[in-house]
Short mmCIF file of all heavy atoms in Angstrom, two decimals:
data_model
loop_
_atom_site.label_atom_id
_atom_site.label_comp_id
_atom_site.label_asym_id
_atom_site.label_seq_id
_atom_site.Cartn_x
_atom_site.Cartn_y
_atom_site.Cartn_z
N TYR A 18 245.45 32.71 29.38
CA TYR A 18 245.73 32.50 30.73
C TYR A 18 244.58 33.01 31.57
O TYR A 18 244.13 32.49 32.49
CB TYR A 18 247.03 33.11 31.08
CG TYR A 18 247.59 32.67 32.38
CD1 TYR A 18 247.80 31.35 32.72
CD2 TYR A 18 247.91 33.63 33.38
CE1 TYR A 18 248.31 30.96 33.91
CE2 TYR A 18 248.45 33.29 34.59
CZ TYR A 18 248.67 31.90 34.82
OH TYR A 18 249.16 31.55 36.10
N ARG A 21 241.73 30.71 31.63
CA ARG A 21 242.14 29.51 32.49
C ARG A 21 241.87 29.94 33.91
O ARG A 21 241.33 29.22 34.75
CB ARG A 21 243.63 29.11 32.37
CG ARG A 21 243.87 27.64 32.67
CD ARG A 21 245.36 27.43 32.87
NE ARG A 21 246.13 27.68 31.66
CZ ARG A 21 247.55 27.69 31.70
NH1 ARG A 21 248.15 27.50 32.90
NH2 ARG A 21 248.23 27.96 30.57
N ILE A 114 255.84 31.96 44.36
CA ILE A 114 254.68 32.26 43.43
C ILE A 114 254.49 31.01 42.43
O ILE A 114 253.35 30.60 42.19
CB ILE A 114 254.87 33.56 42.63
CG1 ILE A 114 255.19 34.69 43.67
CG2 ILE A 114 253.65 33.84 41.79
CD1 ILE A 114 254.10 34.87 44.71
N ILE A 115 255.63 30.55 41.94
CA ILE A 115 255.49 29.46 41.00
C ILE A 115 254.87 28.25 41.75
O ILE A 115 253.96 27.59 41.12
CB ILE A 115 256.92 29.10 40.34
CG1 ILE A 115 257.30 30.27 39.45
CG2 ILE A 115 256.91 27.83 39.64
CD1 ILE A 115 258.68 30.13 38.87
N ARG A 116 255.37 28.01 42.94
CA ARG A 116 254.79 26.84 43.66
C ARG A 116 253.32 27.00 43.86
O ARG A 116 252.50 26.08 43.68
CB ARG A 116 255.57 26.76 45.00
CG ARG A 116 255.08 25.57 45.87
CD ARG A 116 255.88 25.44 47.12
NE ARG A 116 256.07 26.66 47.89
CZ ARG A 116 255.11 27.20 48.60
NH1 ARG A 116 253.96 26.69 48.81
NH2 ARG A 116 255.33 28.43 49.20
N LEU A 118 251.14 28.72 42.20
CA LEU A 118 250.41 28.60 40.97
C LEU A 118 250.33 27.06 40.60
O LEU A 118 249.26 26.67 40.13
CB LEU A 118 251.05 29.34 39.81
CG LEU A 118 250.91 30.91 39.95
CD1 LEU A 118 251.75 31.61 38.92
CD2 LEU A 118 249.46 31.29 39.69
N GLU A 119 251.40 26.42 40.75
CA GLU A 119 251.35 24.93 40.38
C GLU A 119 250.49 24.26 41.29
O GLU A 119 249.58 23.43 40.84
CB GLU A 119 252.85 24.32 40.41
CG GLU A 119 253.89 24.93 39.52
CD GLU A 119 253.62 24.70 38.05
OE1 GLU A 119 252.54 23.97 37.72
OE2 GLU A 119 254.54 25.00 37.21
N ILE A 123 246.52 26.10 38.50
CA ILE A 123 246.56 27.12 37.42
C ILE A 123 247.72 27.06 36.53
O ILE A 123 247.69 27.05 35.39
CB ILE A 123 246.37 28.55 38.06
CG1 ILE A 123 245.01 28.71 38.78
CG2 ILE A 123 246.49 29.67 36.93
CD1 ILE A 123 244.88 29.97 39.52
N GLY A 124 248.93 26.70 37.22
CA GLY A 124 250.07 26.66 36.42
C GLY A 124 250.61 28.04 35.88
O GLY A 124 250.06 29.08 36.31
N LEU A 125 251.54 27.92 35.06
CA LEU A 125 252.19 29.14 34.42
C LEU A 125 251.53 29.57 33.09
O LEU A 125 251.14 28.52 32.38
CB LEU A 125 253.62 28.97 34.38
CG LEU A 125 254.42 28.71 35.64
CD1 LEU A 125 255.91 28.46 35.33
CD2 LEU A 125 254.27 29.86 36.61
N PRO A 126 251.54 30.74 32.78
CA PRO A 126 251.13 31.04 31.39
C PRO A 126 252.13 30.50 30.25
O PRO A 126 253.25 30.39 30.60
CB PRO A 126 251.12 32.69 31.35
CG PRO A 126 252.06 33.10 32.55
CD PRO A 126 252.03 31.98 33.46
N ASP A 127 251.48 30.30 29.15
CA ASP A 127 252.43 29.57 28.15
C ASP A 127 253.55 30.42 27.70
O ASP A 127 254.62 29.86 27.30
CB ASP A 127 251.44 29.17 27.06
CG ASP A 127 252.14 28.15 26.03
OD1 ASP A 127 252.89 27.29 26.62
OD2 ASP A 127 252.15 28.41 24.90
N TYR A 128 253.36 31.68 27.76
CA TYR A 128 254.45 32.53 27.30
C TYR A 128 255.70 32.47 28.15
O TYR A 128 256.81 32.95 27.77
CB TYR A 128 254.10 33.98 27.12
CG TYR A 128 253.64 34.68 28.33
CD1 TYR A 128 254.51 34.97 29.40
CD2 TYR A 128 252.30 35.04 28.65
CE1 TYR A 128 254.14 35.57 30.61
CE2 TYR A 128 251.88 35.58 29.86
CZ TYR A 128 252.66 35.98 30.86
OH TYR A 128 252.34 36.44 32.02
N TYR A 129 255.52 31.92 29.22
CA TYR A 129 256.68 31.79 30.25
C TYR A 129 257.78 30.90 29.59
O TYR A 129 258.94 30.93 30.17
CB TYR A 129 256.13 31.21 31.53
CG TYR A 129 256.77 32.01 32.78
CD1 TYR A 129 256.50 33.41 32.99
CD2 TYR A 129 257.69 31.41 33.65
CE1 TYR A 129 257.02 34.02 33.98
CE2 TYR A 129 258.26 32.15 34.66
CZ TYR A 129 257.89 33.39 34.87
OH TYR A 129 258.48 34.13 35.86
#
Side-chain angles (χ1 to χ4, degrees):
Y18 194 56
R21 205 194 301 169
I114 307 305
I115 291 176
R116 184 179 45 79
L118 287 171
E119 298 292 4
I123 294 174
L125 298 177
D127 194 42
Y128 60 72
Y129 224 67

